[in-house]
Amino acid sequence: MAEDEEEGYRWESGYEKTWEAIQEDEAGLLDSSVADLVARAKRARLHRARPHVRLGIMRHLYLVLDASEAMFVQDLKPTRLICCLKILEGYVQEFFDQNPISQLGIIVTKNKRAEVVCELGGNPIKVIEHLRKLSSAPCVGEPSLMNALELAASSLRTMPSHASREVLVLMASLTTCDPGNINATIQSLCKEKIRCSVIGLAAELRITRHLAQETGGEYAVCLDDSHLRDLTMAHVQPPPAVAHMEAALIRIGFPSHNTSADSPGKLSYCMCHLNGPAPPEGPDRGGYLCPQCYSKHCELPVDCATCGLTLMSAPHLARSYHHLFPLEPFEEVERPPGGPPQHCAACRARIDTQKLISKCGKCSELYCVDCDLFIHETRHVEVAVTSRGSGYGGAARRGTLWVGV
Amino acid sequence: MLELKKGLDAKGHLVLEMPSGTGKTISLLSLIVSYMLERPLEITKLVYCSRTVPEIEKVLEELAKLNRFIEKQTGQKTKLVGLAVSSRKNLCIHPEVSQEREGKVVDSRCYGLTAGYVRARAARADTAAGDGDGADPVPTCQFFEQLEESGRDATLQAGIYSLDDLKHYGRERGWCPYFVARRAIQQANIIVYSYHYLLDPKIAEVVSKEIVQSSVVVFDEAHNIDNVCIDSMSVHINKRMLERCSNNISAMEKRIANLKETDAARLQDEYQRMVDGLRDAQMKRENNQLLANPVLPDQILQEAVPGNIRTAEHFLNFMKRLVEYLKMRLRVQHVVQESPAGFLKDIFNKICVDRKPLRFCAERLTSMIRTLELTDMADLSPLVLVSHFATLVSTYTKGFTIIVEPSDDKTPNVYNPILYFRCLDSSLAIKPVFERYQSVVITSGTLSPLDMYPKILDFHPVIITSFTMTLARPCILPMIVTKGNDQVTISSKFESREDPAVIRNYGNLLVDMVTAVPDGVVCFFTSYMYMESVVSSWYDQGIITQLQKHKLLFIETQDAAETSLALLNYIQACENGRGAVLLSVARGKVSEGVDFDHHLGRCVLMFGIPYMYTQSRILKARLEYLRDTFQIRENDFLTFDAVRHASQCVGRAMRGKTDYGIMVFADKRFQRSDKRTKLPLWIQEHLKDSMCNLSTEEAVQISKRWLRRMAQPFSRQDQLGISLLTLQQLQSEEMQNKMRERVTHRI
């Protein structure tokens, strides 16, 4: 958790027996074993087997956030709610970063009701703004899983069939107060092919596990805040596409970027900040201009506010592309006994002192664990292979492109 | 399995404790069946006794699986015949009779349709109708008739038949499944039925007498076997029953008068039979064909029925006198307790009835019913009961007691005298079973302390073992909570149970657990009375409202229908995520027969130690008897019984390897080593010292963390090598050593 937040008092939490997880290594030292544990956990995430499946690149996702009384419990610091919102902020950013042609909305359930806080949309700023507002909202009563799901389904139902329909539920409460039979709702979700994943904050609740199982989603319960972050971030990756999804072409705009320095254009407000409070720096010359209607936007990716065209830059699309052809996971190799000192191919740090070393299967370069993670999670392109470029450059220069999804 | 094999080799009796859901049934079945296939001469039959109908069904499912597996492995059809036997109620396919709800009614209606003389009469009526006489045809059961016609010698094909299979089979052929099953007992290799068919002497005589000696008998879920034994030998008589007896007698008198006018020859016949005595039965016993019937000891069979009850009128007069005498005995204002010998003396003095005719009461009555062609058995049940009582009381002088109480335990102010004739010695009913069969296996999830059972059942097992679970994760979390958040000691002991502070702390414990635990929570109280008082004070203290915020609340009552409705709704509430709390009572229906697997029971709370009601005369008499005969101290037995029930209650939540559940023992007294060490080994193993003597808050913290850990994905991969073995692993050197170590360690 961020340090600037007011921490909960230590005595309000449970007895945390941190020493139980640690074991001494052969030399009686603790440091290495702790580092080892962390590194292994990270690698385990990467190595999750990914068979060659079709992925739903264009995603429509509703986040369902439980805002019941149980969100005020302080086992995640400072409270579950604030912890969740912090993590979700990061998630939303990452989500749009990795899935630039997707849409996301937020539903909050409390006091036996559910309401849409933020409609499905492609603008991360708006979503994050709504999330920030939620942190001051009161958490009361019980949640209603059924109402929330119905609400999400009613909106997702109208989405085109080439897009994946998803719901991600963050559930803190151990009870749900529903007006009818939730099993019927789950059945209808199955029929609509809406994939529901659930992250529990407290314990395994039968109905949520059932929901996830039936609709083909994932179910998980967090151990602590870092585990919660990991679990949430796992949903950034697009899920495998459902069988019925049809292939379609969608129009995407690649706006040209005018920097304030090189364009003598007029001062103007961008579309994103037109309705809200004016940005502190005032009107600007720079920004992204929609290739269709020439309205200005200050950030990408976004749906054009005027003509509705999906705007993004070529690297965004390239990043979506990596989901389809992921970088092969590196092999874990044993440190060779003796020999000359070896260095990581990326950061040039000495790696023969470390326990875990990764090796690229293609070019047999060696990497340290941190670089391994960086390459796979953020960069998606191997460092040593320098000549790999984006194949979209030419089309992007021309303005728009039809992209198959 | 190894232990079981040893026991079978030694042809002795076994006591095994295995936690539920660890494949107890299948390992028992597979070994015994293989043994049977391998050495068909040594073991010819397996009799598997379980407690309830669903349990019987489960056993058969496993058996069918096993059969398929064996067939697949050996590539040839096995010649095994396995079947379930149950009451007429569960097997009847007669369109009208099977609609009846109560077992007794079904029995008597079936009897009315299938008894020998009814059928004879029907045959007569048929011929009469054929002659054009116009007499009403006597109704009979067509399924039974068809079975009689075609299926007398027909045998079941090899295979496993569950209750439904039997019914299906019956419908297909138009045979009565109940009688098919009854007949097949002799032929079948594996028989699955309820305890009562073997333990209750009245039923055992009918059903189980033809089972050969070289059988293996398994009592599953046998933690209550001593009580079953005792109940099967005990009789309760109250005033209403005696009134109905008198009615029965007068009805029979009329009938006899009628019969005398029309058909005196039959009565004469019966008289002759009486003189001949029960020589037939004696012959059978000499051939060792009959399961020794404890109700009828040997010497009776050698005598003829005494003269004063041979004729029907005399017998009825005799019964009338007996019933009047019992009525007189019931007219008491204070508790009377006496031994059977004293009772007999008193009966001799008052109404001049001596011991011998009393003994023949039961036999004489059945014979008379047969002669009189009475069909409505349900109506006659009080009279039958009294006759059983008379026979028992005159046969046994040791191990029984007679208690007359002016009022019921539950309603101490209402005058409702009851005569209890209680068996005190649980070994009496089971003794013939132990003596007759080659090996008897007693097994359950909760049998600890194991050495108690051989003592109270009076037998010498060759092997007594308690197995623990090998688990890949700590899937049970037993905790002993001894104090509330305000450090008040919590206990249900008599002095402190009404203390509002204790009740409040129990309430807070429940509320805190309910907030932390998902889905179903089950609480057990020590008695209905205690539960009622606690719930009413919780209501005053506002605890109930707090509870209902998190989960719905259900309460077990003494009414069976109400309880099953509550259970149904409880399950529904757990299923759809609302969550529910069930308040119930140890020793109640819920604590015995209902499983709360997976989400239905994530947490079980045991409020207090479920001691028996120690003021009860019956219990006192039994304790005294146990002390005198078996040298078991009162306190030892009480603790044994209480802990056995407590572990039975908490064991409800744990029903398999993938299951997990919290078990909270909320009483300071569980902390003591005499209670703790009596818990089953598989619970003790997880009950670390750090889990004892907790306060409410600590318990909640621990369970929260534990629940999170348990919710992590748990795949087959994780179990492999620990609690699941592949064939290679099983054969590997390392594993073999480990197993050998475990076995030697245990011994």
Side-chain angles (χ1 to χ4, degrees):
Chain A
M1 276 305 302
E3 262 71 27
D4 53 9
E5 288 293 336
E6 193 190 338
E7 285 268 351
Y9 295 114
R10 296 298 294 172
W11 58 81
E12 285 178 340
S13 68
Y15 310 120
E16 285 166 12
K17 295 182 185 167
T18 42
W19 58 89
E20 278 185 355
I22 303 170
Q23 282 167 349
E24 292 182 10
D25 62 4
E26 310 90 51
L29 294 174
L30 297 178
D31 295 355
S32 61
S33 77
V34 174
D36 204 34
L37 275 177
V38 174
R40 269 181 201 285
K42 281 182 181 164
R43 277 190 61 91
R45 192 148 36 101
L46 284 184
H47 277 265
R48 218 176 291 154
R50 241 182 200 289
H52 279 287
V53 285
R54 197 175 151 211
L55 299 174
I57 294 286
M58 196 169 173
R59 306 171 68 187
H60 290 106
L61 175 79
Y62 259 115
L63 281 175
V64 173
L65 189 64
D66 175 5
S68 64
E69 245 172 300
M71 269 312 219
F72 271 142
V73 179
Q74 293 174 332
D75 49 2
L76 300 173
K77 306 290 170 326
T79 64
R80 284 179 185 175
L81 180 72
I82 294 171
C83 181
C84 279
L85 289 176
K86 278 268 172 214
I87 289 171
L88 282 182
E89 258 179 50
Y91 171 72
V92 169
Q93 228 136 33
E94 192 78 355
F95 177 84
F96 282 112
D97 210 38
Q98 304 279 332
N99 308 284
I101 43 177
S102 303
Q103 294 191 327
L104 190 134
I106 301 174
I107 292 174
V108 163
T109 169
K110 61 182 164 191
N111 222 354
K112 300 173 190 128
R113 288 192 190 89
E115 57 174 326
V116 179
V117 172
C118 172
E119 292 285 354
L120 278 182
N123 191 349
I125 302 167
K126 229 167 86 184
V127 177
I128 289 173
E129 210 170 273
H130 281 294
L131 275 179
R132 291 222 171 104
K133 259 187 236 158
L134 279 177
S135 64
S136 55
C139 294
V140 279
E142 299 106 353
S144 172
L145 191 58
M146 180 179 167
N147 283 340
L149 291 177
E150 291 278 3
L151 205 58
S154 69
S155 167
L156 287 175
R157 211 165 278 153
T158 55
M159 289 301 143
S161 59
H162 59 261
S164 79
R165 306 159 177 181
E166 293 170 65
V167 175
L168 175 63
V169 185
L170 268 110
M171 189 89 173
S173 171
L174 291 176
T175 174
T176 153
C177 194
D178 298 326
N181 184 5
I182 192 165
N183 289 311
T185 311
I186 293 177
Q187 286 312 312
S188 76
L189 287 174
C190 287
K191 220 181 288 162
E192 306 282 351
K193 302 267 184 349
I194 297 175
R195 182 181 189 266
C196 301
S197 298
V198 184
I199 298 176
L201 300 185
E204 179 187 341
L205 190 63
R206 188 252 172 197
I207 193 71
T208 50
R209 176 171 286 260
H210 179 68
L211 168 72
Q213 258 168 11
E214 287 291 302
T215 58
E218 281 163 30
Y219 181 76
V221 174
C222 76
L223 292 168
D224 50 24
D225 47 1
S226 64
H227 189 224
L228 177 63
R229 185 184 297 274
D230 289 349
L231 290 176
T232 322
M233 289 310 173
H235 288 277
V236 169
Q237 297 274 325
V242 266
H244 79 290
M245 234 157 69
E246 58 194 46
L249 289 174
I250 53 160
R251 245 170 106 83
I252 287 180
F254 294 94
S256 53
H257 185 224
N258 297 341
T259 50
S260 37
D262 59 23
S263 78
K266 290 172 203 141
L267 281 173
S268 59
Y269 282 114
C270 63
M271 296 306 288
C272 336
H273 293 104
L274 209 56
N275 296 325
E281 65 268 16
D284 195 3
R285 282 198 180 85
Y288 297 96
L289 295 182
C290 171
Q292 198 163 263
C293 62
Y294 294 103
S295 47
K296 193 170 86 172
H297 298 269
C298 61
E299 271 196 56
L300 292 181
V302 73
D303 283 350
C304 175
T306 316
C307 63
L309 187 68
T310 309
L311 304 180
M312 63 176 62
S313 66
H316 281 134
L317 205 58
R319 254 198 296 228
S320 283
Y321 187 76
H322 82 256
H323 292 309
L324 302 175
F325 302 102
L327 194 57
E328 292 286 313
F330 292 164
E331 293 165 38
E332 200 173 302
V333 289
E334 282 296 309
R335 170 178 27 172
Q342 282 167 315
H343 298 274
C344 168
C347 64
R348 312 307 299 168
R350 272 191 69 169
I351 45 174
D352 42 333
T353 53
Q354 293 176 353
K355 243 185 166 179
L356 281 169
I357 306 171
S358 307
K359 183 179 154 194
C360 174
K362 275 187 188 150
C363 59
S364 40
E365 290 280 2
L366 297 177
Y367 294 96
C368 65
V369 174
D370 289 327
C371 288
D372 179 1
L373 287 174
F374 177 72
I375 289 167
H376 279 95
E377 287 190 336
T378 320
R379 205 179 136 85
H380 304 297
V381 179
E382 220 220 303
V383 177
V385 184
T386 46
S387 62
R388 192 175 294 170
S390 160
Y392 294 114
R397 248 174 271 124
R398 280 195 296 279
T400 62
L401 172 75
W402 288 93
V403 178
V405 292
Chain B
M1 260 191 164
L2 188 72
E3 307 281 335
L4 184 63
K5 166 84 166 59
K6 271 189 208 156
L8 290 179
D9 282 342
K11 301 194 177 171
H13 309 313
L14 290 90
V15 177
L16 304 174
E17 181 185 61
M18 288 189 250
S20 41
T22 52
K24 179 174 52 188
T25 314
I26 190 71
S27 53
L28 279 174
L29 283 177
S30 54
L31 184 67
I32 298 177
V33 167
S34 320
Y35 210 101
M36 230 158 33
L37 291 175
E38 199 61 31
R39 298 189 200 161
L41 292 177
E42 281 177 38
I43 297 179
T44 42
K45 227 169 228 191
L46 164 64
V47 181
Y48 199 100
C49 303
S50 202
R51 209 173 35 185
T52 55
V53 175
E55 274 163 13
I56 291 174
E57 291 278 308
K58 247 186 266 168
V59 173
L60 279 165
E61 245 170 63
E62 300 266 334
L63 191 58
K65 262 187 233 158
L66 177 69
N67 198 25
R68 275 199 296 277
F69 180 75
I70 292 176
E71 272 170 16
K72 219 167 86 187
Q73 290 291 313
T74 56
Q76 56 194 16
K77 277 259 179 210
T78 52
K79 291 203 186 74
L80 289 176
V81 178
L83 84 161
V85 181
S86 185
S87 63
R88 290 184 173 91
K89 184 185 156 221
N90 295 321
L91 279 174
C92 189
I93 52 170
H94 190 274
E96 285 165 37
V97 179
S98 57
Q99 295 302 313
E100 298 284 352
R101 288 281 169 78
E102 251 177 88
K104 265 189 180 165
V105 182
V106 176
D107 279 357
S108 78
R109 285 198 61 179
C110 180
Y111 192 72
L113 292 175
T114 57
Y117 47 81
V118 176
R119 294 183 49 238
R121 211 191 304 156
R124 274 204 306 276
D126 274 352
T127 48
D131 294 343
D133 232 352
D136 291 333
V138 180
T140 53
C141 174
Q142 79 262 24
F143 298 105
F144 184 72
E145 293 301 322
Q146 277 169 28
L147 177 67
E148 281 294 296
E149 272 168 30
S150 57
R152 199 84 248 193
D153 308 312
T155 50
L156 277 176
Q157 280 155 354
I160 309 294
Y161 297 88
S162 69
L163 294 179
D164 280 337
D165 291 340
L166 277 174
K167 271 192 194 175
H168 188 72
Y169 183 79
R171 276 207 195 96
E172 232 167 50
R173 314 249 168 138
W175 291 354
C176 173
Y178 174 73
F179 284 97
V180 168
R182 281 271 297 270
R183 288 214 181 119
I185 285 179
Q186 244 183 325
Q187 171 212 350
N189 306 94
I190 300 155
I191 304 160
V192 185
Y193 56 32
S194 133
Y195 293 164
H196 300 276
Y197 286 107
L198 209 54
L199 290 181
D200 194 332
K202 292 159 242 163
I203 314 176
E205 195 191 357
V206 184
V207 180
S208 310
K209 65 179 171 195
E210 280 149 353
I211 296 173
V212 288
Q213 215 172 3
S214 54
S215 316
V216 177
V217 178
V218 179
F219 289 102
D220 199 356
E221 306 285 334
H223 43 268
N224 265 348
I225 196 164
D226 54 324
N227 291 340
V228 175
C229 294
I230 285 177
D231 285 343
S232 71
M233 299 281 279
S234 303
V235 180
H236 299 185
I237 296 173
N238 62 17
K239 224 170 174 177
R240 252 185 64 218
M241 263 154 67
L242 289 179
E243 293 297 337
R244 281 173 60 198
C245 271
S246 310
N247 292 345
N248 285 342
I249 292 175
S250 49
M252 282 172 91
E253 263 177 344
K254 261 185 224 153
R255 184 97 200 208
I256 287 176
N258 258 342
L259 201 63
K260 225 171 185 179
E261 284 165 17
T262 55
D263 195 0
R266 232 179 22 221
L267 283 177
Q268 193 57 41
D269 254 14
E270 192 200 9
Y271 182 82
Q272 198 53 46
R273 263 213 309 276
M274 294 294 130
V275 180
D276 291 346
L278 304 162
R279 223 160 284 152
D280 286 355
Q282 188 196 348
M283 297 265 285
K284 268 189 208 156
R285 176 156 313 179
E286 273 164 8
N287 295 342
N288 208 359
Q289 285 285 312
L290 199 70
L291 178 72
N293 182 348
V295 181
L296 275 182
D298 284 331
Q299 63 267 29
I300 289 191
L301 298 172
Q302 284 148 22
E303 297 167 35
V305 176
N308 56 351
I309 56 170
R310 274 185 210 162
T311 56
E313 291 102 327
H314 290 172
F315 177 64
L316 278 187
N317 276 334
F318 172 83
M319 286 305 285
K320 228 195 234 164
R321 282 217 311 270
L322 183 65
V323 170
E324 285 307 317
Y325 171 74
L326 287 176
K327 272 188 195 162
M328 191 267 289
R329 289 303 303 264
L330 276 183
R331 244 170 268 136
V332 287
Q333 295 300 330
H334 57 276
V335 180
V336 181
Q337 181 176 1
E338 60 185 357
S339 68
F343 183 84
L344 286 175
K345 191 154 180 285
D346 190 58
I347 212 170
F348 185 69
N349 289 338
K350 295 256 171 61
I351 56 167
C352 302
V353 168
D354 64 358
R355 202 170 150 183
K356 207 170 154 199
L358 274 178
R359 273 202 213 167
F360 287 90
C361 240
E363 284 295 302
R364 182 68 187 88
L365 186 70
T366 39
S367 137
M368 182 143 97
I369 289 171
R370 223 174 292 137
T371 323
L372 293 180
E373 299 185 350
L374 292 173
T375 50
D376 203 354
M377 293 300 278
D379 210 33
L380 281 177
S381 62
L383 193 62
V384 175
L385 202 69
V386 169
S387 72
H388 277 302
F389 165 71
T391 309
L392 282 171
V393 81
S394 53
T395 313
Y396 293 101
T397 47
K398 236 180 123 237
F400 284 81
T401 188
I402 293 170
I403 296 168
V404 187
E405 278 192 338
S407 56
D408 211 341
D409 276 347
K410 288 160 203 149
T411 50
N413 302 321
V414 185
Y415 181 70
N416 178 24
I418 300 178
L419 185 142
Y420 295 101
F421 177 69
R422 285 298 287 190
C423 172
L424 300 176
D425 189 349
S426 48
S427 64
L428 276 179
I430 204 168
K431 203 165 161 194
V433 177
F434 281 126
E435 276 172 4
R436 189 174 154 75
Y437 298 115
Q438 182 177 309
S439 330
V440 177
V441 183
I442 291 184
T443 171
S444 172
T446 48
L447 276 179
S448 296
L450 289 166
D451 51 344
M452 193 62 115
Y453 283 88
K455 262 195 216 165
I456 55 175
L457 295 178
D458 196 19
F459 72 104
H460 302 285
V462 276
I463 284 161
I464 304 181
T465 324
S466 174
F467 297 99
T468 58
M469 280 188 280
T470 319
L471 290 167
R473 57 176 190 173
C475 66
I476 58 171
L477 178 69
M479 292 189 286
I480 297 178
V481 178
T482 56
K483 46 193 187 282
N485 282 341
D486 48 5
Q487 303 301 313
V488 173
T489 309
I490 50 177
S491 170
S492 72
K493 71 179 166 201
F494 187 70
E495 300 87 56
S496 65
R497 69 165 62 155
E498 297 302 329
D499 185 355
V502 171
I503 294 180
R504 193 187 59 237
N505 269 314
Y506 271 146
N508 286 338
L509 172 65
L510 181 57
V511 170
D512 286 355
M513 286 313 278
V514 156
T515 30
V517 175
D519 298 324
V521 174
V522 188
C523 309
F524 288 101
F525 290 86
T526 50
S527 67
Y528 285 104
M529 246 158 48
Y530 186 51
M531 178 167 80
E532 273 160 33
S533 79
V534 167
V535 169
S536 68
S537 42
W538 278 354
Y539 187 78
D540 295 338
Q541 291 165 352
I543 284 168
I544 299 284
T545 2
Q546 284 182 50
L547 273 182
Q548 280 177 328
K549 249 190 238 165
H550 298 284
K551 293 195 192 304
L552 301 181
L553 191 66
F554 296 98
I555 298 181
E556 182 194 4
T557 59
Q558 270 154 324
D559 184 352
E562 221 170 77
T563 305
S564 55
L565 189 69
L567 261 177
L568 214 70
N569 285 321
Y570 170 82
I571 290 170
Q572 205 184 356
C574 293
E575 298 265 288
N576 61 24
R578 182 68 183 89
V581 188
L582 181 69
L583 305 183
S584 59
V585 171
R587 295 162 198 285
K589 181 179 169 245
V590 172
S591 73
E592 282 299 326
V594 187
D595 284 351
F596 297 101
D597 47 356
H598 296 278
H599 58 280
L600 296 183
R602 280 285 176 239
C603 175
V604 181
L605 292 125
M606 184 76 231
F607 292 127
I609 301 182
Y611 278 117
M612 278 187 270
Y613 177 57
T614 46
Q615 298 305 306
S616 141
R617 315 258 158 200
I618 300 167
L619 180 62
K620 275 185 180 164
R622 184 165 176 214
L623 286 176
E624 212 168 283
Y625 182 82
L626 283 175
R627 192 190 53 208
D628 295 346
T629 330
F630 299 118
Q631 288 81 46
I632 299 170
R633 280 190 300 146
E634 282 104 328
N635 213 1
D636 277 354
F637 183 75
L638 282 177
T639 314
F640 152 74
D641 186 75
V643 174
R644 151 174 91 171
H645 275 99
S647 43
Q648 187 58 31
C649 291
V650 296
R652 296 286 103 197
M654 186 57 207
R655 284 303 188 227
K657 274 181 194 168
T658 50
D659 201 357
Y660 63 91
I662 303 173
M663 303 168 170
V664 180
F665 299 93
D667 195 309
K668 186 167 171 24
R669 289 171 296 168
F670 277 115
Q671 176 77 8
R672 280 191 225 140
S673 70
D674 64 326
K675 318 273 190 307
R676 244 179 87 184
T677 51
K678 284 198 169 85
L679 287 171
L681 205 59
W682 56 278
I683 294 180
Q684 265 185 59
E685 196 182 42
H686 291 274
L687 190 61
K688 285 175 248 144
D689 279 338
S690 59
M691 298 296 180
C692 302
N693 205 3
L694 298 176
S695 71
T696 303
E697 202 170 285
E698 291 167 318
V700 171
Q701 288 299 345
I702 290 174
S703 43
K704 266 188 184 166
R705 204 169 44 236
W706 182 81
L707 279 170
R708 285 224 170 100
R709 248 195 8 238
M710 285 296 114
Q712 298 312 310
F714 181 56
S715 64
R716 217 182 138 82
Q717 254 339 292
D718 301 332
Q719 293 185 45
L720 267 179
I722 305 176
S723 57
L724 255 177
L725 300 174
T726 57
L727 198 61
Q728 287 93 2
Q729 277 171 328
L730 192 67
Q731 284 160 348
S732 75
E733 190 66 21
E734 187 191 358
M735 217 53 196
Q736 297 273 338
N737 286 337
K738 215 166 158 189
M739 270 151 65
R740 215 165 296 136
E741 221 166 74
R742 275 189 84 107
V743 170
T744 47
H745 177 70
R746 202 178 297 127
I747 293 165

